[in-house]
Amino acid sequence: MQTPMAAQSRTVPLFAHFFPALLALGYPWYLASLHDSAADHHALQALKALALTLAVPASAFASLYALGRRSTSDARKVALQWLNHLTFASPPLFVILGVFLYLMKINGADAKVWVGLWLIVLCGTLLVLISRAAGASIALPQPRTAPIRVMHGAASLAILLVFLLIHLGNHALGVLGADTHREVMLKLRHIYRAGWIEPPLIALFFFQIVSGIILVASKLGTKRDLLGVLQTASGAYLVVFIASHLNAVFVLARYFGTDTDYAWATDLPAGGLLAGAWDVRLIPHYGLGVWLVLAHIACGLRTVMLAHHVPQPRANAICWIAIALGTLWSAVIIVGMLGVRG
Ligand code: HEM
């Protein structure tokens, strides 16, 4: 009798789900090529390097989608889903790795450490796959995630209203120049840096990281559609992005007395994100970070609508419209960060 995973392997062979992580091994070199070709004004070469850079999370997403379409709770499938969620989060992973190494005063070793860590992860995943028989189904626990989902949603709403909307709105003003951004930021700091707002806000972000990991884990092995996969993939990205971003803002910068303004975030006046060999990694990190946080919220909204019996086609349509608007918003932010001025 053919096992479910064996049936799947007819369409997408098992080893194909390793491809995104193997592609991720070269991530530092795609970024270096992006930086070098931009410096040499080789537009085509730069586009190729950017495409390779984005191919890492894109191929991981394709893999997650293929795995999510299957309803089997195969142990191998779950291991590959962990691997591909991690791969999808490559942009913030490479940033947090770079910041840690910088803080430890280990210079010029980012690519080597990156490859070493990925080889460990690949080896671990391979061993899990070897140790589990093909098609061995795992008894999926039936976690009571409903209360966690409600708390996660309520925390998102609080974060959005108190901070995220104004934070991302402020970044969109970057296209008008660093001075405009700074002027507005100084006013907004009265809100989110207020002594009674900032600590609970940061605590809420930590809560989102922990509850987010639990919610992603609870979805592995289950069958999901495209927006469902986008929800967990973006959630995994945000877990790493938020940890990396808070570490950069509070440890790398503020602790050492650096003002965390737009110039700091975009490496001005040194030349901008494309000009810095280190900073180029911030382009996919921030670009996808904003897009995915907005997409994640749109997917969360869809879940709430479905729970309130909104017909699925309508809930999906509203979700896609919100994602389209989020795409525009994040595009404005990233072009501003790359130096385009309106
Ligand atoms: C293009 C994308 C982003 C850029 C360039 C950026 C940049 C910054 C900067 C410059 C600060 C310091 C603000 C200040 O000193 O007043 C900051 C703080 C912060 N950012 Fe972002 N950010 C981005 C996206 C995000 C996203 C998507 C999130 C959440 C998912 C986020 C969460 C935070 C948090 C929690 C703080 C700390 C706020 C505080 O001072 O209490 N950021 N960010």
Side-chain angles (χ1 to χ4, degrees), residues 163-164 167-168 171 185 189 192-193 198 201-202 205 238 241-242 245-246 249-250 254 259-262 264-265 286 289-290 293 333 337:
F163 175 72
L164 203 55
H167 189 52
L168 298 184
H171 293 331
M185 186 190 67
R189 277 181 180 171
Y192 60 78
R193 281 202 187 182
E198 193 173 47
L201 178 68
I202 302 307
F205 270 105
L238 289 172
F241 177 87
I242 293 169
H245 193 49
L246 291 182
V249 170
F250 288 99
R254 260 207 247 174
D259 188 9
T260 47
D261 57 4
Y262 197 63
W264 168 76
Y286 279 138
V290 177
V293 79
I333 292 178
M337 293 187 76

Side-chain angles (χ1 to χ4, degrees), residues 81-117:
Q81 282 179 318
W82 275 120
L83 177 70
N84 279 290
H85 276 104
L86 202 63
T87 311
F88 186 74
S90 289
L93 279 173
F94 192 53
V95 171
I96 200 167
L97 173 73
V99 171
F100 279 149
L101 292 177
Y102 174 81
L103 290 171
M104 289 188 282
K105 301 195 191 315
I106 300 173
N107 296 317
D110 295 20
K112 286 181 206 148
V113 177
W114 175 259
V115 170
L117 290 176

